[in-house]
Amino acid sequence: PVDLVIVGLPAAAVPDALRQCVAKRAGAAVVFSSGFAEIGEQGRALQDEVSRIAREGGLLLCGPNTLGFMNTFDRVLATFSQAGDYELQSGPVGFVTQSGAFGTAIYALARERGLGIGYFINSGNEAGVEFADLLEYVAHDPRVRVVAGYIEGVRDGRRLMQACRTAMACGKPVVIVKVGRFGAGARAASSHTGSLAGSDRIYTSVFRQLGVLRAAQEEELLDLATAFCLCDPAQGRRVALITQSGGAGVLMADRAEEIGLEVPALSPQTSAALREVIPVFGSTKNPVDITAQFIADPAMLESSIGLVLDDPGVDAGVFYLGLMERHVETVVGRLRSVAKNATKPFVVAWAAAPAAARHTLMESGICMLPSATRAVTAVRALAAYGEARARRVRADDAPREPAPERRAVWPSARTFELLGRYRVPLPPWRVVTSAEDAVMEAEALGYPVALKIESVDIPHKTEAGGVRLGLSCAADVAAAYEGILASARARAPSAKISGALVQRMASGGVELIAGIHRDETFGPLVMVGLGGVFVEVMEDVSFRAAPLTREDAAEMLFELKGARVFDGVRGGLRYDRQALVALLLALSDLALDQEGGLLELDLNPVRLFPEGDGLLALDALAVGGDS
C-alpha cells in the first residue's frame, strides 16, 4: 500500500490525482501545487473540491500550496525546498509554519545556530490538516521537547486551544510567532493563505491564558526555542544578573523589570560569600559585577555564579560577558562546571562570542544568546511557562452548536432575569408601561431612581434621549416617563416601545465595563475593563476565552493599565477584587451555557465598591440570535 503521495501537478489536475489516491487507499498526500484559495474565488472553489475529495475519501491532506514537510528523526523529506539540500540535523524542536518560504528561512537560521529541528511542516492552505492538527501531532512525539510555530491566522480557534492544551499536558512549551498584528499585516495575511488573521488582542489574551509564549519575530522564536531545549522552566520571576560589565548589568536590570521579572536583593549570606570572591572594585549587589578580573582568576567565574544561583531568593540566572577570543577554552570549561552543578535555569549572554564558543556551549547543553536583553527575555519566557504549567486549568472545549447569525437585542427583562440566574448583582428593577406604574414602582423600590426607555429597537438609550437619572419624587418620575417616551419617538419613530425600566440608583465605587463577546475564531470570550475614559480612549480592557479559572480572572485584572486603582491610590480605599473575579467567572459560565443564542453581552457600567461591599451591574445590553 502507498503511505504517502506527493502531488506536483497544475492545480486543475489535482482533484483527479487525489481521486486516484483515494481509489488506491493511499494514507496521505502532500500537494505542492499552487493556484487555489490564495488566488481568489475561482481557486477557492477548486480548493473546496480538493478538500471534499480528501475528507470523503479518508485521505490525510497537507496543502495545497505547501512546501511540504521534513521529518529529520526518520529521514523523510517530502519537500522541494532548498532547506532539504543540506545534511539533516535532527533535534528536539517541532516547527509548524503557515508560511513556506519564510518558514524555511527560519529553519536555515536554526541550522546556523546548531539548533536541531526534528519536524519542519508547512501547512499551506490547510484544505485538509490544519495548523492546530499538526501542532498537536508534533506535541505528542516523545522526541520533541519544544513546539514552535509561525501563524498568520486560524479558522478554528478552539481547535488551536485544544492543541495547545495538549502540548501543555505533554509538558511541551509552545512558542509562536503570530503576525497580522496591525491593519496592513492582517490584510497581507488574509491574501496570502485565505486564513483569518483575527483580532490580535484576542490572540495575545488567549495565548497568555494557555501558556503559549508569543515571540515578536523569528530571532526571538529561535531564542526561546533554544532556551526551552536547554533549560528547565523557572519556578518564579526572580532573576539574578551576573556580569563582567556594570553597564550591561544596568541594561539587563532595566529590561528585566520592563518585562515583569524581579531583580531581588541577594541574601546577606550570599553577599558576604561573594565579598570573599569578587575584587573590591566589583559589586556584590544584584546585578553582580565580577569585573574582567575573572580572566586572571577563572575560578572566580565559577564560584561567583554558583553562589548566586544557590541563593534561595533566586529562580534563574543570566551571566553576561563579551569577546574573549583568546580565552574561549578556559571560559567554556568554567561555564560547563557551573551548568553541571546548577539546579536552576542558567542562560549565558555572550556578546560577539567566538564561533567555537557558540557551538561548544550548545553541544554542552548550555543556552547561550548573543545579547544581554535577549537573554533576559528568554528567562522571562522560562518563568512565564513555569507559571502557566503550575496553574490548574479548567478545560472545557466540548463542541457546541454555533450561534445563529440573525442578531436581535433582547428585552431588558429577559437580560436581567438571565443575569439574576447567574447571581450577577443588579440594582432592584421593574418594567412599567405607564407613568402611574412608574411612580408606584419607584416608591416601592425607594428613591432616587433611574428611568430608561424599554425598546429592543433602541439599544443605545442615552443617544435617543431615553434615560433620566437621579429622580427623587413622584412628580419627577411621572414627568420623566412622558419625557423619555416623547424623546424616543421623535428620534426613532419606527421603534417599537414597550414602556420603561425603573431602577434604584447606585453611586460611588469604581466604574467598570464587563461582558461577553462571541469571536468567530475562539468562540465565547469574557471581557473586563475600566470604564469611562479608560475604555473609550485608552481601550484598557482584557479578554479570556471561556471557560475561565479563578486564576484566569485574577490575571485579567492585573493586566489592566489602571489596575492600581483596585488597591487604592494615594491612601484611598481598596476595592473588592474578589467580587469582580466572581462576576467574571459567572459570565464565563453564562457564555458557555447560552452560546447557542447569546452573541454579545455588555454590562456597562459596573460599579465596584470597597472591599467587602461587592459590585452592581447598573445596565446590560444583550444581543442574541433570536428575539
Side-chain angles (χ1 to χ4, degrees):
V2 176
D3 295 318
L4 175 68
V5 177
I6 294 175
V7 180
L9 298 170
V14 171
D16 185 59
L18 294 185
R19 291 188 186 96
Q20 294 179 51
C21 292
V22 170
K24 291 293 185 180
R25 297 184 181 179
V30 174
V31 180
F32 293 159
S33 316
S34 299
F36 293 88
E38 76 279 3
I39 68 168
E41 288 306 312
Q42 182 178 356
R44 184 174 295 280
L46 189 60
Q47 181 169 308
D48 290 343
E49 181 183 4
V50 164
S51 179
R52 179 185 57 78
I53 293 168
R55 183 176 62 254
E56 294 178 357
L59 177 71
L60 284 174
L61 173 65
C62 180
N65 189 28
T66 178
L67 278 174
F69 72 87
M70 291 183 284
N71 170 357
T72 63
F73 293 124
D74 303 310
R75 304 185 68 79
V76 180
L77 274 72
T79 183
F80 61 91
S81 167
Q82 297 177 60
D85 291 350
Y86 301 88
E87 179 65 27
L88 294 183
Q89 183 178 344
S90 192
V93 178
F95 179 43
V96 183
T97 174
Q98 286 184 329
S99 173
F102 190 53
T104 55
I106 294 173
Y107 179 88
L109 290 173
R111 185 178 60 244
E112 286 182 359
R113 290 177 176 225
L115 179 63
I117 305 291
Y119 288 106
F120 167 90
I121 312 173
N122 174 214
S123 60
N125 286 13
E126 301 183 4
V129 292
E130 299 183 4
F131 179 90
D133 302 319
L134 298 166
L135 186 146
E136 187 169 58
Y137 176 85
V138 166
H140 274 300
D141 193 310
R143 297 169 293 186
V144 169
R145 178 162 177 164
V146 183
V147 180
Y150 170 94
I151 61 172
E152 295 166 355
V154 294
R155 300 178 184 88
D156 187 349
R158 291 188 176 184
R159 181 71 187 91
L160 179 63
M161 292 171 67
Q162 178 186 332
C164 293
R165 286 196 170 110
T166 296
M168 177 68 76
C170 294
K172 311 289 178 67
V174 178
V175 185
I176 286 179
V177 172
K178 163 65 178 72
V179 296
R181 295 173 59 195
F182 304 107
R187 291 192 299 272
S190 179
S191 64
H192 180 207
T193 63
S195 60
L196 297 172
S199 166
D200 191 68
R201 173 179 287 164
I202 292 172
Y203 274 96
T204 297
S205 297
V206 171
F207 283 172
R208 187 177 292 123
Q209 179 180 3
L210 296 172
V212 173
L213 290 310
R214 183 171 183 177
Q217 28 69 11
E218 69 275 23
E219 290 288 358
E220 186 177 345
L221 176 78
L222 296 177
D223 285 352
L224 303 192
T226 301
F228 281 114
C229 282
L230 302 174
C231 301
D232 291 328
Q235 299 306 304
R237 298 189 177 202
R238 302 168 300 178
V239 60
L241 308 171
I242 310 101
T243 174
Q244 72 165 127
S245 162
V250 176
L251 179 67
M252 289 194 293
D254 282 347
R255 176 60 178 165
E257 294 192 8
E258 177 188 4
I259 59 178
L261 292 173
E262 300 173 32
V263 185
L266 300 175
S267 69
Q269 294 84 354
T270 300
S271 295
L274 284 171
R275 281 193 290 270
E276 299 295 321
V277 176
I278 294 174
V280 293
F281 49 87
S283 173
T284 60
K285 297 178 180 179
N286 189 14
V288 177
D289 183 4
I290 65 174
T291 77
Q293 187 68 21
F294 75 86
I295 299 173
D297 182 8
M300 183 180 71
L301 170 65
E302 182 178 341
S303 57
S304 58
I305 298 176
L307 287 169
V308 172
L309 289 178
D310 286 341
D311 189 296
V314 167
D315 299 309
V318 177
F319 173 58
Y320 172 87
L321 73 164
L323 304 175
M324 300 293 162
E325 187 77 46
R326 297 195 298 271
H327 308 282
V328 169
E329 188 174 340
T330 300
V331 172
V332 168
R334 294 294 178 174
L335 291 176
R336 280 175 167 170
S337 297
V338 170
K340 181 179 179 181
N341 296 314
T343 58
K344 299 170 185 175
F346 170 58
V347 177
V348 175
W350 197 332
R358 293 199 304 269
H359 295 301
T360 305
L361 287 179
M362 177 72 78
E363 292 169 358
S364 301
I366 298 172
C367 178
M368 192 217 80
L369 297 173
S371 85
T373 53
R374 286 166 62 176
V376 171
T377 300
V379 170
R380 173 65 181 88
L382 295 172
Y385 180 70
E387 291 173 349
R389 200 171 67 168
R391 289 198 301 263
R392 297 185 62 184
V393 179
R394 192 183 89 196
D396 179 13
D397 282 332
R400 297 169 181 267
E401 290 297 318
E405 293 186 357
R406 191 164 64 89
R407 298 167 63 86
V409 174
W410 287 1
S412 297
R414 178 180 178 182
T415 302
F416 283 11
E417 286 168 1
L418 177 66
L419 291 170
R421 293 204 299 271
Y422 286 85
R423 299 183 180 179
V424 174
L426 302 163
W429 59 275
R430 299 286 190 278
V431 175
V432 297
T433 56
S434 68
E436 293 78 11
D437 287 346
V439 170
M440 181 178 66
E441 294 296 348
E443 292 183 344
L445 293 174
Y447 293 109
V449 297
L451 201 64
K452 306 173 186 179
I453 196 73
E454 178 61 13
S455 171
V456 296
D457 297 321
I458 306 177
H460 303 295
K461 301 177 177 65
T462 302
E463 296 174 8
V467 177
R468 300 288 190 276
L469 303 176
L471 306 175
S472 56
C473 66
D476 289 347
V477 172
Y481 185 89
E482 299 299 340
I484 63 173
L485 258 66
S487 179
R489 285 169 178 155
R491 300 190 191 186
S494 61
K496 179 181 178 181
I497 297 174
S498 306
L501 184 78
V502 184
Q503 277 183 298
R504 185 189 297 165
M505 288 286 295
S507 59
V510 174
E511 184 175 326
L512 303 165
I513 182 171
I516 295 165
H517 169 70
R518 187 175 71 86
D519 183 73
E520 61 184 23
T521 301
F522 290 102
L525 304 170
V526 177
M527 181 271 289
V528 67
L530 289 169
V533 69
F534 287 96
V535 69
E536 293 171 8
V537 178
M538 299 177 62
E539 298 184 347
D540 190 11
V541 294
S542 178
F543 289 88
R544 287 294 186 275
L548 267 64
T549 65
R550 184 167 294 275
E551 292 80 6
D552 291 332
E555 266 195 353
M556 292 173 73
L557 305 188
F558 280 111
E559 283 176 13
L560 298 176
K561 300 181 185 75
R564 289 180 57 196
V565 170
F566 299 133
D567 297 323
V569 178
R570 296 183 179 179
L573 295 171
R574 296 172 62 89
Y575 290 90
D576 203 334
R577 280 180 181 266
Q578 293 309 309
L580 190 49
V581 167
L583 172 66
L584 299 179
L585 294 175
L587 292 178
S588 173
D589 291 339
L590 189 158
L592 292 173
D593 293 344
Q594 303 295 323
E595 189 180 352
L598 182 64
L599 303 179
E600 295 178 12
L601 174 67
D602 283 338
L603 306 183
N604 185 22
V606 175
R607 295 257 176 213
L608 181 66
F609 300 113
E611 281 186 328
D613 293 340
L615 58 78
L616 285 174
L618 303 189
D619 202 5
L621 173 66
V623 178
D626 58 16
S627 57

